[in-house]
Amino acid sequence: PEQIQLVSQATFSAIKPQLSRNALVLFPLFRRLQEEEQQLRTSSLPAIPNPFPELCSPASSPVLSPGSLPPGEPSSGKYSYLNRHPILCTSFVFAELSYMKDTCITVFLLFVSLKEYSCVYQTTFMWSLFVVTESSVFSRQIVKIFSEDGMGKVVEIPADMTARDLCQLLVYKSHCVDDNSWALVEHHPLLGLERCLEDHELVVQVQASMNSDSRFLFRKNYAKYEFFRNPLTFFPEHMVAWCQETNHTIPPSQLLQNFLATSSCPEIQGHLYMKDVGRKSWKKVYMFLRRSGLYCSTKGTSKEPRHLQLLADLEDSNIFTVITGRKQHGAPTDYAFCIKPNKGRGEMKELRMLCAEDEQSRTCWMTAFRLFKYGIVLYQNYKIPQQRKTLLSHFSAPVRSVSENSLVAMDFSGRIGRVIDNPVEAQSAAMEEGHAWRKRSQRMNILGSHSPLHHSSLSSVIHIAQLWFHGRITREESHRIIHQQGQVDGLFLLRVSQSNPKAFVLTLCHHQKIKHFQILPCEEDGQVFFSLDDGATKFTDLIQLVEFYQLNRGVLPCKLKHPCTVVAL
């Protein structure tokens, strides 16, 4: 105990000024110490590698051996006092020294006794110091992630793992396609709130501020950085004060620069419904969103400082989507959102409940909140996947472009292929090839195919394994999935029709509005086809239909771009 007390006071007084909360100081690794102890057990006189040659004499000796320390001659140097106390036992001594605030300081001491001809020689020990948090010796945390189907997955992550890194880990473990659209969602079921974590946020810190009933969800979010691609869609001119003052259309690049630059002072303004704290009533007020916070005007639309009242500070708050606005909070519309303080207890009285007139207004307020709070960090998060893709492209083989401009019609009926320049000839050749393929497939069905399934039965089930097919879900459920995954142009899914069991429905998002298109089966020459335009364009299965409308708009308002995907962890 005297030796332990001597070492503990010396080491603690030496490192105390350098310690901070959650700091980690590592000396020789614990695994290496175990290996050295094992070597000591298997040999009566081992040669132990010394990771701290400065602790023994001579200073340059890398090995602890009986000859390295002459008997009776104390070593000199900075740590010479450690060699004056012979220890007879070989063991690990675990001494918990002190608690400094919430940080536990733990010291592992290794004492090694070296014996030769039953004589006890002077001993040198190696020590390791770990400063750890109260949760784990190695600063790792347990996080549980849930998928859309309610199934959870427990993941052990380091304390400094960001939301982007955790999403990439889940993509790897779930064998998903990494298209940089996956997001980690903070979900509060009792409050009816949720928000997507920013890519740079630390997951452990966010989990520490969540309630026991809250959880993380893993899902797609195509709209996370869509405002960098189409800023005018997210920021209408009548809601941006700077656009109204200039009285002309603002270029998209200049609009984003004003939001990202700290020297500029853009402002979002407009009417919002606000719920009174502790009451069920909502009132319509004129509000302003600036870098300094969210304000409401106490006198009409006045911007005078004496008429402005601060409602929320952006730095200490986060903005959430209210998913149960009408049912739980009595919101006047379906486009409710709220501002929740980071250090609050998650009680209803701490929430600043707001409600917009339409989806575009709500998206504008929430996007501007994120830009004002994080600024250029959001743009860096948006650029990181593109930079990685550019870096990987230098090491991969060139991939042929499949854009529409690179696709041409070819005729291989002769000895040499030729490009069909006439569009009418190209269309007739495509129709002729399609009919020939159908005839070949029908002949194979009659003569016998290698497939265990008949062609007609295969066409009716081949789409079940596709990510965009969601089976027998209701119209309201399809709306919920579209809302959750971003409401960007081209977001789609396919489902079984509720009114016609033999038909299917294509649910498509365009201009933040959800539309439904029925896919009807039609029979021709004893074979069943699927059509979206009353038989004008026919497809043998739903996979062909989706692939066609991914390249051609046809009768749809836009092309199919982003499939709604639900992955089981």
Side-chain angles (χ1 to χ4, degrees):
E2 296 177 358
Q3 288 84 355
I4 297 176
Q5 185 68 18
L6 174 64
V7 175
S8 63
Q9 291 178 357
T11 55
F12 181 72
S13 60
I15 67 172
K16 184 177 181 181
Q18 303 176 1
L19 292 179
S20 61
R21 178 178 174 86
N22 295 342
L24 182 61
V25 182
L26 291 177
F27 286 100
L29 297 178
F30 183 71
R31 182 179 299 176
R32 186 165 183 173
L33 299 180
Q34 286 182 325
E35 294 176 357
E36 294 170 359
E37 186 185 31
Q38 185 66 25
Q39 293 177 2
L40 184 64
R41 292 176 179 175
T42 55
S43 177
S44 60
L45 191 60
I48 306 176
N50 184 11
F52 291 98
E54 67 272 13
L55 298 182
C56 60
S57 178
S60 60
S61 176
V63 177
L64 288 178
S65 61
S68 63
L69 290 175
E73 181 179 349
S75 60
S76 60
K78 182 178 180 181
Y79 300 96
S80 59
Y81 67 92
L82 297 177
N83 299 325
R84 301 195 189 107
H85 305 278
I87 308 297
L88 301 180
C89 60
T90 302
S91 62
F92 279 95
V93 178
F94 176 87
E96 185 175 301
L97 295 180
S98 172
Y99 281 92
M100 189 171 60
K101 293 184 180 179
D102 293 332
T103 304
C104 175
I105 303 174
T106 308
V107 177
F108 293 93
L109 300 176
L110 174 66
F111 296 91
V112 183
S113 64
L114 301 177
K115 300 180 180 180
E116 183 180 22
Y117 305 107
S118 302
C119 297
V120 180
Y121 284 83
Q122 191 175 11
T123 306
T124 299
F125 64 86
M126 296 171 292
W127 53 277
S128 299
L129 175 66
F130 293 86
V131 179
V132 297
T133 58
E134 59 267 53
S135 58
S136 172
V137 174
F138 299 99
S139 295
R140 298 183 70 87
Q141 295 281 349
I142 300 297
V143 178
K144 191 170 185 179
I145 313 296
F146 291 86
S147 58
E148 295 292 339
D149 57 359
M151 301 300 294
K153 189 182 191 69
V154 177
V155 184
E156 185 182 10
I157 63 173
D160 59 346
M161 175 170 277
T162 62
R164 180 194 293 275
D165 296 334
L166 181 54
C167 286
Q168 291 183 341
L169 176 64
L170 295 174
V171 165
Y172 172 76
K173 288 181 174 293
S174 304
H175 308 286
C176 306
V177 178
D178 187 9
D179 55 357
N180 301 310
S181 60
W182 293 99
L184 203 63
V185 179
E186 179 184 352
H187 180 65
H188 301 269
L190 295 183
L191 299 176
L193 309 177
E194 65 181 25
R195 76 174 180 99
C196 287
L197 270 67
E198 304 297 343
D199 287 344
H200 65 275
E201 288 190 79
L202 299 181
V203 180
V204 173
Q205 290 185 0
V206 177
Q207 182 178 245
S209 64
M210 295 168 56
N211 298 332
S212 58
D213 62 288
S214 305
R215 57 175 61 180
F216 286 124
L217 301 178
F218 180 60
R219 72 159 71 118
K220 288 270 191 178
N221 184 15
Y222 293 102
K224 185 162 54 173
Y225 300 118
E226 187 68 18
F227 57 88
F228 285 119
R229 307 180 187 97
N230 303 304
L232 296 180
T233 305
F234 284 77
F235 302 104
E237 293 184 3
H238 69 277
M239 296 186 63
V240 183
W242 186 65
C243 296
Q244 290 186 345
E245 295 173 359
T246 55
N247 293 325
H248 60 84
T249 304
I250 306 301
S253 58
Q254 189 175 355
L255 179 63
L256 285 177
Q257 288 177 2
N258 291 332
F259 277 103
L260 296 176
T262 56
S263 58
S264 62
C265 300
E267 184 179 276
I268 301 297
Q269 61 185 16
H271 283 95
L272 285 175
Y273 294 97
M274 182 178 65
K275 186 178 181 181
D276 294 333
V277 179
R279 299 182 181 179
K280 296 183 179 180
S281 59
W282 293 72
K283 62 179 180 180
K284 194 173 185 179
V285 294
Y286 202 78
M287 294 195 178
F288 305 91
L289 182 61
R290 302 171 179 174
R291 296 190 190 276
S292 56
L294 178 67
Y295 300 85
C296 70
S297 177
T298 58
K299 187 177 180 180
T301 60
S302 175
K303 291 186 178 181
E304 296 184 19
R306 60 193 180 98
H307 295 151
L308 294 183
Q309 178 184 355
L310 179 63
L311 297 180
D313 185 12
L314 275 61
E315 294 297 329
D316 300 329
S317 306
N318 281 315
I319 193 163
F320 287 77
T321 302
V322 182
I323 56 180
T324 58
R326 284 185 180 271
K327 182 178 180 180
Q328 186 173 356
H329 305 282
T333 68
D334 294 326
Y335 313 105
F337 61 100
C338 83
I339 298 177
K340 178 178 176 293
N342 295 334
K343 298 181 180 179
R345 299 180 180 178
E347 298 179 358
M348 194 69 66
K349 61 181 180 181
E350 299 174 344
L351 306 179
R352 182 63 67 179
M353 304 294 299
L354 304 169
C355 190
E357 293 282 356
D358 51 32
E359 181 62 36
Q360 187 181 30
S361 299
R362 178 172 70 170
T363 304
C364 178
W365 287 100
M366 298 184 66
T367 306
F369 186 99
R370 295 171 57 202
L371 283 171
F372 286 151
K373 181 176 181 179
Y374 298 108
I376 195 64
V377 179
L378 285 186
Y379 186 73
Q380 294 172 354
N381 294 341
Y382 166 66
K383 282 296 183 180
I384 286 177
Q386 300 181 7
Q387 294 172 357
R388 290 179 179 176
K389 186 182 299 184
T390 304
L391 182 63
L392 292 176
S393 64
H394 297 293
F395 301 97
S396 59
V399 181
R400 175 182 173 272
S401 175
V402 293
S403 63
E404 296 179 32
N405 297 331
S406 65
L407 299 177
V408 295
M410 298 288 295
D411 179 17
F412 296 99
S413 59
R415 297 179 59 185
I416 301 176
R418 67 180 182 90
V419 177
I420 303 178
D421 297 325
N422 189 356
V424 178
E425 182 184 1
Q427 185 177 4
S428 62
M431 294 181 63
E432 182 180 356
E433 177 65 22
H435 288 301
W437 183 86
R438 292 169 186 168
K439 291 179 181 179
R440 287 196 300 268
S441 63
Q442 291 176 3
R443 186 164 56 253
M444 287 296 297
N445 291 335
I446 296 174
L447 298 178
S449 173
H450 297 289
S451 175
L453 292 175
H454 192 268
H455 183 270
S456 59
S457 61
L458 181 62
S459 301
S460 61
V461 298
I462 194 174
H463 54 269
I464 293 179
Q466 301 301 312
L467 297 176
W468 39 256
F469 184 73
H470 290 251
R472 297 183 180 276
I473 63 174
T474 62
R475 187 186 186 97
E476 292 74 18
E477 186 71 10
S478 65
H479 281 226
R480 184 188 65 83
I481 297 176
I482 293 287
H483 277 287
Q484 289 178 347
Q485 301 198 10
Q487 280 190 276
V488 297
D489 288 351
L491 184 62
F492 74 97
L493 62 86
L494 265 72
R495 58 186 176 88
V496 178
S497 175
Q498 291 181 289
S499 58
N500 187 356
K502 295 183 179 181
F504 300 90
V505 176
L506 170 66
T507 303
L508 177 65
C509 181
H510 179 63
H511 289 170
Q512 295 184 337
K513 295 182 179 179
I514 301 175
K515 301 180 179 181
H516 303 270
F517 302 88
Q518 197 168 41
I519 303 173
L520 297 173
C522 56
E523 189 173 350
E524 181 180 333
D525 298 332
Q527 188 173 357
V528 177
F529 299 95
F530 298 97
S531 178
L532 197 64
D533 50 7
D534 296 330
T537 311
K538 303 174 185 177
F539 305 93
T540 57
D541 53 59
L542 296 181
I543 297 180
Q544 289 185 359
L545 184 144
V546 169
E547 291 177 347
F548 176 83
Y549 287 106
Q550 284 178 333
L551 295 176
N552 308 276
R553 192 183 74 173
V555 297
L556 300 177
C558 64
K559 299 177 185 177
L560 307 182
K561 297 179 181 180
H562 310 293
C564 285
T565 305
V566 177
V567 175
L569 293 176

